[in-house]
């Protein structure tokens, strides 16, 4: 397999791929030979290239899957090349070119797709809980997802894709949940030391919810996600407070590339690894 993109997400992903007994990275592709990501890969004995997508395309016949950890704009260009070569892509950008995949919700139906979209970090963390709200109701009028991540964990590609982040997260919420209106809020917090990624999912108190069903569903979903994202946990279980019903979760990272506050990296890289491992298992 190959990874395109040597920023924060690409580096964290590389370290998780290296720790997987089912995956092997044969190419870590970026644009600057002196980038910290390339230096990291070379220090671990991973083949690197500054040739980006062109270098990956040249060795397409030897690659089982490509992880795209670039940007939404670059992902479009990369897919235009890889699609015709028949190379499967696991897309960690908010480009939404392929089928949405949230492993806790639809892993099995994504294993044979040529292009799988990992939504966004907020989507991986919060959409499953949004689905719990949806399942505990007859359909929702309004649902809100507010995600707060440490500034140090949000790289330039993510900052450039804020609009795509909000659109893609909202689109995934509509696809996986019965909700008329979904709103996504992203807060990039500059606090020092960095704060652990937090996500609050809320609906108006006027929504017709079965609170006991919601509690059971959230508990089950937490365990399901925690099986592939070890730092995922519910910190505020379903509670009615004032004019809304809310759940808050946080994701603490493993500290592979950035400190443990960078759960926004782990939640999407762990999910992407779960898809790749599922594909590898399915081929056996």
């Amino acid at each position: 397999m190959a990874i395109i993109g040597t920023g924060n997400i690409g580096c964290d992903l590389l370290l998780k791929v290296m720790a997987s007994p089912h995956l092997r990275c044969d190419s870590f592709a970026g644009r600057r030979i002196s980038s910290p990501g390339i230096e990291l890969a070379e220090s671990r004995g991973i083949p690197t290239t500054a040739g980006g997508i062109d270098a990956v395309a040249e060795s397409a016949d030897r690659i089982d899957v490509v992880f795209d950890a670039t940007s939404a704009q670059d992902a479009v260009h990369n897919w235009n090349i890889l699609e015709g070569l028949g190379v499967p892509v696991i897309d960690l950008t908010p480009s939404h070119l392929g089928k949405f995949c949230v492993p806790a919700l639809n892993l099995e139906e994504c294993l044979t797709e040529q292009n799988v979209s990992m939504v966004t970090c907020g989507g991986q963390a919060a959409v499953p809980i949004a689905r719990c709200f949806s399942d505990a109701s007859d359909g929702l009028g309004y649902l809100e997802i507010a995600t707060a991540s440490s500034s140090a964990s949000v790289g330039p590609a993510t900052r450039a894709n804020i609009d795509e982040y909000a659109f893609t997260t909202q689109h995934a919420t509509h696809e996986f949940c019965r909700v008329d209106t979904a709103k996504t809020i992203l807060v990039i917090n500059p606090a020092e030391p960095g704060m652990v990624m937090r996500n609050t999912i809320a609906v108006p108190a006027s929504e017709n919810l079965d609170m006991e069903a919601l509690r059971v569903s959230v508990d089950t979903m937490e365990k399901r996600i925690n099986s592939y994202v070890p730092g995922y946990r519910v910190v505020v279980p379903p509670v009615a407070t004032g004019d809304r019903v809310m759940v808050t979760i946080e994701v603490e990272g493993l500290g592979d590339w950035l400190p443990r506050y960078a759960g926004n990296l782990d939640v999407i890289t762990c999910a992407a690894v779960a898809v790749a491992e599922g594909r590898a298992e399915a081929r056996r």
Side-chain angles (χ1 to χ4, degrees):
M1 51 143 287
I3 297 173
I4 308 176
T6 62
N8 285 339
I9 291 178
C11 288
D12 192 77
L13 175 64
L14 173 65
L15 294 172
K16 287 178 171 56
V17 165
M18 291 177 64
S20 170
H22 306 292
L23 306 176
R24 185 185 72 229
C25 183
D26 296 310
S27 180
F28 193 58
R31 292 174 176 169
R32 290 189 301 115
I33 198 64
S34 61
S35 71
I38 293 289
E39 292 175 357
L40 165 73
E42 290 182 340
S43 73
R44 302 298 179 93
I46 302 298
T48 65
T49 176
I53 182 60
D54 293 332
V56 171
E58 288 175 3
S59 57
D61 59 333
R62 302 190 300 276
I63 295 174
D64 293 326
V65 66
V66 171
F67 290 98
D68 194 324
T70 57
S71 68
Q73 291 76 21
D74 287 337
V76 174
H77 172 69
N78 297 340
W79 176 236
N80 285 339
I81 293 173
L82 295 173
E83 181 182 18
L85 296 173
V87 179
V89 174
I90 298 175
D91 186 358
L92 288 84
T93 81
S95 64
H96 184 205
L97 296 170
K99 182 179 179 65
F100 280 139
C101 183
V102 177
L105 298 177
N106 70 334
L107 175 61
E108 292 299 321
E109 64 189 61
C110 297
L111 297 181
T112 58
E113 294 287 327
Q114 188 184 353
N115 190 314
V116 174
S117 168
M118 301 311 301
V119 193
T120 60
C121 58
Q124 289 294 334
V127 169
I129 302 300
R131 174 66 170 268
C132 294
F133 275 91
S134 176
D135 288 347
S137 73
D138 294 325
L140 300 168
Y142 176 83
L143 182 141
E144 181 177 289
I145 294 172
T147 298
S149 297
S150 172
S151 179
S153 68
V154 181
T158 300
R159 292 172 189 268
N161 292 161
I162 296 297
D163 288 346
E164 290 87 350
Y165 172 95
F167 175 81
T168 300
T169 306
Q170 288 168 191
H171 193 163
T173 304
H174 283 292
E175 182 165 316
F176 287 107
C177 310
R178 293 168 299 156
V179 57
D180 295 333
T181 302
K183 182 177 182 181
T184 298
I185 300 167
L186 174 61
V187 177
I188 301 176
N189 193 321
E192 293 289 348
M195 58 164 286
V196 174
M197 181 200 196
R198 281 210 168 194
N199 301 263
T200 296
I201 304 90
V203 302
S206 58
E207 297 286 355
N208 184 21
L209 288 172
D210 182 332
M211 288 298 292
E212 181 56 28
L214 178 60
R215 292 186 185 97
V216 171
S217 183
V218 167
D219 183 63
T220 300
M221 191 64 72
E222 177 187 23
K223 292 181 174 66
R224 191 179 301 166
I225 299 172
N226 189 257
S227 69
Y228 61 90
V229 187
Y232 187 96
R233 54 183 172 263
V234 174
V235 292
V236 179
V239 59
T241 169
D243 61 351
R244 64 180 183 162
V245 179
M246 57 175 280
V247 174
T248 298
I249 62 100
E250 71 177 23
V251 186
E252 184 176 18
L254 296 173
D256 290 328
W257 174 242
L258 293 181
R260 290 181 176 272
Y261 59 71
N264 51 310
L265 301 188
D266 278 56
V267 74
I268 194 165
T269 55
C270 285
V273 167
V275 175
E277 290 183 333
R279 290 179 63 95
E281 288 290 331
R283 292 179 60 186
R284 291 183 177 179

